[in-house]
Amino acid sequence: MHPAPRALRRAVAVATTALLATALGCAPQPDGKAADTPSGSAGHTCAKGKLATQTSGKLTIATDEPAYEPWFKDDKPANGEGFESAVAYAVAKQLGYDKSAVVWQSVPFNKAFAPGEKTFDFDINQVSISDERKKAVDFSSGYYDVRQAVIALKDSKAAKAQSVADLKGLKLGAQVGTTSLSYIDDVVKPTQEAAAYAKNDQAKSALKNGQVDAIVVDLPTAFYITAAEVTDATIVGQFENQGGTPEQFGLVLDKGSALTACVTDAVDTLRENGTLAKLEQQWLSDAVDAPVLK
C-alpha cells in the first residue's frame, strides 16, 4: 500500500514553465503506459552528472522513514537493496551520478508531495501519480504499475470476502494520504468511515489488535506483510485498476523543476531497456497474482 513532494512560487513563472513544457514537449512516454506527460523546464539539457541539483555534483534523493520492505531493505535506503533503492540508483546512474554522489534524505510521505519548496532533487516512496498531486509537484513517468490489495486476519469474517460488495460492511483502514485510502472511500464506499493512520505500522497494529477488520495496501507490500510481519493474516484479494490508465508510482519533483524532463528521460530509458522489469523481477517476484475483487 502504498500516497508518500517550489509551490507558492511566482505564478507567472510556473505558468510560463508549464506552457513551454507543453509547447516543446518532454520525454515521450513508452508504450502508452506512463502517466500524463510530466511538467518541467523545456529546452532542457541533461548533461551527465552536471544537472542543476540541490548540491552541485550530488543527487539528493528522499524517502520516508522507516523505509519498508520490499521497497527497501533493512530500513537502509542507501544500501541499493529493495526495489525502490535499486530504481533510485539506476536513475542516478542514468543521470550521470554514481553511488558515491547520491545523498539520501528523510522526508515524511505526505510532505513529499505537499505544496512548498523541496529540499530534494526527487523523492521515491510509492507515491501514485494523480492529477490532484500534479497541482503541487511534478512527477516523472511511472516506474511501477501497481494494484491495491486487502489484508485480513485468516480466521476473520473479512478473510472470506470475495467481492467489493462483501467489504462494504467492514471496518477498513489504510495509511492517510494514500491511494489505498482512496480505494476504500471511492471504490468500496463502506458503511463505516475508514480508519486513517499516519504510518503503515499503525495500520498493521490496528489489524492485529482487532481495531479494524482489514487494511488496504499495495500488492507487493501485502505479500511482504502477510509473509513476514503479520503471519496470521492473508491477502483477501486485489482491486481492479480504475479507468483506462493503470495506477503508477512516479518519482516526485519540485513543481516546475528543471530536472523533471531529465529524470523522466532516465525512467523511460530504464523501462525501454528492460532494467525496470529486471529489478521488479528481482525484488518484487513474490507479488504474484491474487484474487481480483469485483
Side-chain angles (χ1 to χ4, degrees):
M1 163 175 68
H2 316 2
R6 277 168 197 28
L8 303 179
R9 291 171 136 193
R10 299 178 297 267
V12 173
V14 173
T16 301
T17 299
L19 287 171
L20 286 172
T22 301
L24 298 182
C26 293
Q29 296 178 4
D31 302 324
K33 291 190 64 75
D36 293 342
T37 301
S39 57
S41 295
H44 65 281
T45 59
C46 300
K48 298 287 187 179
K50 297 181 180 180
L51 304 183
T53 54
Q54 292 283 338
T55 301
S56 180
K58 300 288 185 179
L59 187 67
T60 302
I61 304 175
T63 195
D64 202 356
E65 185 179 6
Y68 298 105
E69 298 191 28
W71 310 105
F72 299 91
K73 185 77 171 176
D74 299 326
D75 193 20
K76 296 178 180 179
N79 64 14
E81 299 183 28
F83 179 70
E84 289 194 328
S85 181
V87 168
Y89 281 118
V91 171
K93 183 178 180 181
Q94 195 66 33
L95 294 172
Y97 296 88
D98 61 24
K99 194 171 183 178
S100 64
V102 173
V103 178
W104 284 90
Q105 184 180 102
S106 176
V107 173
F109 179 78
N110 285 330
K111 188 176 180 180
F113 51 87
E117 186 172 345
K118 306 308 175 193
T119 57
F120 51 77
D121 294 313
F122 68 76
D123 178 278
I124 184 167
N125 191 24
Q126 306 113 68
V127 181
S128 296
I129 301 168
S130 73
D131 290 337
E132 182 64 27
R133 290 173 181 163
K134 282 195 277 188
K135 295 176 182 177
V137 295
D138 281 357
F139 282 97
S140 71
S141 52
Y143 62 87
Y144 179 69
D145 299 349
V146 65
R147 285 195 176 191
Q148 300 298 319
V150 180
I151 299 174
L153 297 181
K154 293 177 180 177
D155 60 355
S156 69
K157 176 183 176 181
K160 298 178 176 63
Q162 296 181 330
S163 66
V164 172
D166 292 339
L167 302 173
K168 288 187 180 296
L170 303 178
K171 181 66 175 179
L172 304 174
Q175 184 177 346
V176 68
T178 60
T179 305
S180 303
L181 187 58
S182 297
Y183 264 70
I184 295 175
D185 294 335
D186 301 336
V187 177
V188 179
K189 300 178 181 178
T191 56
Q192 304 179 60
E193 183 178 0
Y197 300 96
K199 298 280 187 180
N200 262 343
D201 284 344
Q202 296 172 356
K204 289 181 288 188
S205 294
L207 178 65
K208 289 189 287 187
N209 296 333
Q211 295 169 298
V212 293
D213 298 311
I215 61 174
V216 178
V217 297
D218 59 71
L219 188 57
T221 299
F223 276 96
Y224 181 76
I225 289 174
T226 54
E229 297 183 316
V230 188
T231 55
D232 57 342
T234 185
I235 297 174
V236 178
Q238 61 177 309
F239 293 107
E240 292 183 298
N241 280 320
Q242 303 299 302
T245 302
E247 179 188 351
Q248 294 183 313
F249 292 156
L251 305 178
V252 182
L253 299 96
D254 204 357
K255 186 67 177 176
S257 172
L259 304 181
T260 302
C262 297
V263 172
T264 290
D265 286 346
V267 173
D268 288 346
T269 297
L270 295 174
R271 183 181 286 274
E272 290 163 359
N273 68 18
T275 298
L276 291 180
K278 290 177 182 177
L279 294 178
E280 184 175 331
Q281 178 61 34
Q282 180 180 358
W283 296 107
L284 304 179
S285 58
D286 287 341
V288 294
D289 290 338
V292 177
L293 301 167
K294 298 183 179 181

